[in-house]
């Protein structure tokens, strides 16, 4: 489609986007009003509104209640470093999710027993409805929210053991590898799949983002002798992170 054949709202959005990228409309500047857009570009109110919606969906602008629409300050993406699994004694839940030792982080967690739905059951190779321990994490870097994670462990393996609760007991906060080793399950492999999707409102708000923006989802599963012992979804804002893998050559 040639530029001249584009719908009017895309032409208007494209011109405003170019001004934002070029710095003509710097961060925290109020976007021209709907009436101003209509007058400047010779378009209808509907076209002006749709152009503003495009910029908002792209994360370039944000609405402020009772004030108008403003250019957003764009974050500089940081690396979310992945290195597979770490040996016992080297991993905490934060290090498990962010392997860059220069990054200091903390986490909050909550664990509760539940049942595996079909997707979790498939990843853990158990039957839907089997009991699992679910743990939800909020990770912070330098005090700012950076990652969410939900993990599931089959209670058929960990139930009634000292490591049943990931963040309680003698190995609280030591990470999957060391905890599983304590019950004679030696983690020897890990798989990860990376995808993207629109973030749920509660996810993006918890991470300090805008509802509807995309999130990266790292779906990870730890194995011991071919048996899945833990699976998790790690979620971070796509505009703030790039997934970087550091993998050893064997």
């Amino acid at each position: 489609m040639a530029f001249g054949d584009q719908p009017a709202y895309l032409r208007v959005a494209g011109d405003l986007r170019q001004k934002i990228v070029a710095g003509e409309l710097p961060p925290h500047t109020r976007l021209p009003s709907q009436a101003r857009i209509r007058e400047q570009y010779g378009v209808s109110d509907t076209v002006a509104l749709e152009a503003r919606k495009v910029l908002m969906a792209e994360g370039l602008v944000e609405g402020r209640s009772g004030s108008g629409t403003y250019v957003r300050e764009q974050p500089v993406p940081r690396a979310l470093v992945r290195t597979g699994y770490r040996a016992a004694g080297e991993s905490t839940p934060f290090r498990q999710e962010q392997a860059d030792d220069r990054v200091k982080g903390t986490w909050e967690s909550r664990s509760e027993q539940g049942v595996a739905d079909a997707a979790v059951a498939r990843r853990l190779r158990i039957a839907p409805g089997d009991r699992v321990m679910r743990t939800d994490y909020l990770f912070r870097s330098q005090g700012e929210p950076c990652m969410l994670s939900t993990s599931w462990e089959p209670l058929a393996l960990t139930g009634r053991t000292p490591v049943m609760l990931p963040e309680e007991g003698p190995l609280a906060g030591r990470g999957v590898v060391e905890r599983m080793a304590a019950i004679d399950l030696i983690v020897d492999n890990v798989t990860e799949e990376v995808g993207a999707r629109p973030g749920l409102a509660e996810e993006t708000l918890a991470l300090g983002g805008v509802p509807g923006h995309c999130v990266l989802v790292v779906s990870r599963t730890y194995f011991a002798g071919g048996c899945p012992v833990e699976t998790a979804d790690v979620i971070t804002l796509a505009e703030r992170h790039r997934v970087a893998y550091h993998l050893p050559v064997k």
Side-chain angles (χ1 to χ4, degrees), residues 51-74:
R52 288 156 62 93
K53 286 182 179 179
V54 168
L55 297 177
M56 193 168 293
E58 292 176 350
L60 293 173
V61 301
E62 61 184 353
R64 299 179 185 175
S65 180
S67 179
T69 304
Y70 291 79
V71 177
R72 290 184 68 221
E73 186 167 2
Q74 296 301 302

Side-chain angles (χ1 to χ4, degrees), residues 121-141:
R122 183 170 59 253
R123 289 162 61 171
L124 290 174
R125 299 178 187 171
I126 59 179
D130 281 1
R131 304 291 295 177
V132 293
M133 181 65 69
R134 170 177 169 152
T135 304
D136 294 298
Y137 291 91
L138 170 62
F139 296 96
R140 299 179 186 272
S141 176

Side-chain angles (χ1 to χ4, degrees), residues 6 54 80 97 104 121 130-131 143 161 224 230 235 240:
Q6 284 186 322
V54 168
L80 177 61
E97 308 305 354
K104 306 302 179 184
D130 281 1
R131 304 291 295 177
T161 73
E230 188 250 29
I235 298 171
R240 294 187 184 174

Side-chain angles (χ1 to χ4, degrees), residues 39-51:
E39 177 184 342
Q40 182 176 348
Y41 293 96
V43 296
S44 66
D45 280 333
T46 300
V47 169
L49 178 60
E50 290 302 313

Side-chain angles (χ1 to χ4, degrees), residues 75-217:
V76 177
R78 295 178 292 180
L80 177 61
V81 181
R82 318 295 295 172
T83 60
Y85 71 89
R86 291 189 162 200
E90 297 181 4
S91 181
T92 66
F94 187 86
R95 282 287 156 255
Q96 188 171 289
E97 308 305 354
Q98 167 59 290
D100 189 341
D101 290 322
R102 296 168 298 179
V103 179
K104 306 302 179 184
T106 59
W107 65 92
E108 304 165 15
S109 67
R110 180 184 63 196
S111 296
E112 62 181 1
Q113 295 189 38
V115 297
D117 62 20
V120 169
R122 183 170 59 253
R123 289 162 61 171
L124 290 174
R125 299 178 187 171
I126 59 179
D130 281 1
R131 304 291 295 177
V132 293
M133 181 65 69
R134 170 177 169 152
T135 304
D136 294 298
Y137 291 91
L138 170 62
F139 296 96
R140 299 179 186 272
S141 176
Q142 298 178 335
E144 295 295 324
C146 62
M147 287 180 289
L148 300 172
S149 176
T150 301
S151 69
W152 299 267
E153 296 176 355
L155 284 170
L157 298 178
T158 63
R160 299 183 180 180
T161 73
V163 302
M164 184 175 73
L165 292 168
E167 298 300 312
E168 296 183 25
L171 293 177
R174 298 302 298 173
V176 173
V177 177
E178 189 166 356
R179 289 176 48 250
M180 294 301 164
I183 57 173
D184 298 323
L185 294 172
I186 306 305
V187 173
D188 54 15
N189 192 20
V190 60
T191 64
E192 290 193 346
E193 295 182 0
V194 182
R197 60 168 172 77
L200 303 178
E202 56 268 30
E203 294 170 341
T204 54
L205 289 173
L207 291 169
V210 177
H213 283 189
C214 282
V215 294
L216 295 174
V217 182

